[in-house]
Amino acid sequence: MLGPGAISRDFVVGLRASRHGVLHAVGSSSPERAAAFAAEHGAEASGTYDEILAREDVDAVYVGTVHTTHADLAIRALEAGKAVLCEKPASPTLDEVERILETAQRTGRPFLEAFKTRFGPFADALRELAAGGELGELERFEGAFGFDAGTRAGRLFDPAVGGGAILDVGCYPLALAIDLAAAAGRPIAAPVYRAFEAELVSGVDGTASAELGFVGLTAAIATSVIEPLSDPAVLRFADAEVVLPNVWGSRTESPSSLIVRRGGEERVIEVPVVQPMAAEADALSLALAEGRLEVPQMPWAHTRAAARVLTDWRAAALAG
């Protein structure tokens, strides 16, 4: 565990439910914070980042620090021979993401961007619908993720650490749009940008929206850290629509249902839930055990595609 912050506490809960992962060591820029976190959560070792990365009894690391430190820590971990599960977004810019992936390729270590929404029966069901043609061609995706942070200070409103809505939660509807487009057989590397909008708050994107084109599939996405946005997402097919009432789930459970509306009829599909953070940890563990660099639920092509849009979306937002 690199970075004993709030998201890392949630990840530890998930890790306890995993099949293959065990919390063994905690690293921090503050050895005292690392030691306190390790004692609280039962890790055997703690220390600075370098001390943890030098340990031969650490196979993989979870990077749970602020966005702007992801690339440096991920690269250092890969070069130390560790597999890396890096909290989303992998980094604020495409250039830094490319550096991470080049290092993973060169060192032969797995790298996974930690999008918990990519794992479990719900995510599998969406890919199957997008690919299957049962409902006709997928034509449009509409999704938003937004909340009111309450305060207008701290990490979310600090430009120096990559604050703002786009990187914090706007990446979720973007990653889902990319996943659906890929499942539907549409190219994802260079979507057409049809619209970017944003409202700046304290020098960061407080709200933002975008419309992207993936060769016949339009994705309309929105995000905010100053107001709640509607949870349901909608997939519009040629012959039906699918409503996702709780599309993002939570940090402890993946979503459990989707609603198919077709020809005046409505059908609710229930799917089993998983602990999503456990699932992403196990996916990295299996990649390491099986000698794979990538995880099929979140391949590097998807990480690159997301990084490209995030870079351009933020640049447009911050340019006003």
Side-chain angles (χ1 to χ4, degrees), residues 91-95 166-167 306-316:
S91 198
T93 69
L94 176 60
D95 286 348
I166 292 173
L167 292 181
R308 179 173 289 107
V309 176
L310 290 174
T311 299
D312 294 341
W313 192 8
R314 285 188 75 229

Side-chain angles (χ1 to χ4, degrees), residues 26-38:
V26 180
S28 173
S29 56
S30 164
E32 294 77 19
R33 286 187 66 217
F37 192 98

Side-chain angles (χ1 to χ4, degrees), residues 174 178 187-194 212-215 305 308-309 312:
L174 172 61
I178 290 168
I188 63 171
V192 175
Y193 301 147
R194 295 180 180 157
L212 313 172
F214 296 93
V215 188
R308 179 173 289 107
V309 176
D312 294 341

Side-chain angles (χ1 to χ4, degrees), residues 62-190:
Y62 169 78
V63 178
T65 55
V66 295
H67 308 319
T68 48
T69 62
H70 287 180
D72 175 63
L73 287 175
I75 288 169
R76 286 159 64 184
L78 291 164
E79 290 180 336
K82 316 305 182 189
V84 174
L85 176 63
C86 181
E87 192 51 58
K88 56 76 198 164
S91 198
T93 69
L94 176 60
D95 286 348
E96 288 186 341
V97 169
E98 291 289 6
R99 287 178 54 226
I100 295 170
L101 298 182
E102 184 280 327
T103 305
Q105 185 72 54
R106 174 170 49 81
T107 59
R109 296 289 87 183
F111 175 85
L112 171 60
E113 187 176 15
F115 273 103
K116 64 182 180 60
T117 48
R118 287 298 186 99
F119 298 90
F122 181 81
D124 293 340
L126 296 186
R127 295 186 193 106
E128 185 176 349
L129 287 174
E134 172 192 348
L135 306 178
E137 292 291 316
L138 178 59
E139 298 176 343
R140 185 176 176 85
F141 164 68
E142 300 167 5
F145 196 156
F147 63 95
D148 187 344
T151 180
R152 299 295 182 261
R155 175 186 66 84
L156 286 175
F157 297 90
D158 185 351
V161 295
I166 292 173
L167 292 181
D168 197 65
V169 288
C171 55
Y172 281 111
L174 172 61
L176 180 51
I178 290 168
D179 200 16
L180 293 169
R186 316 294 172 82
I188 63 171

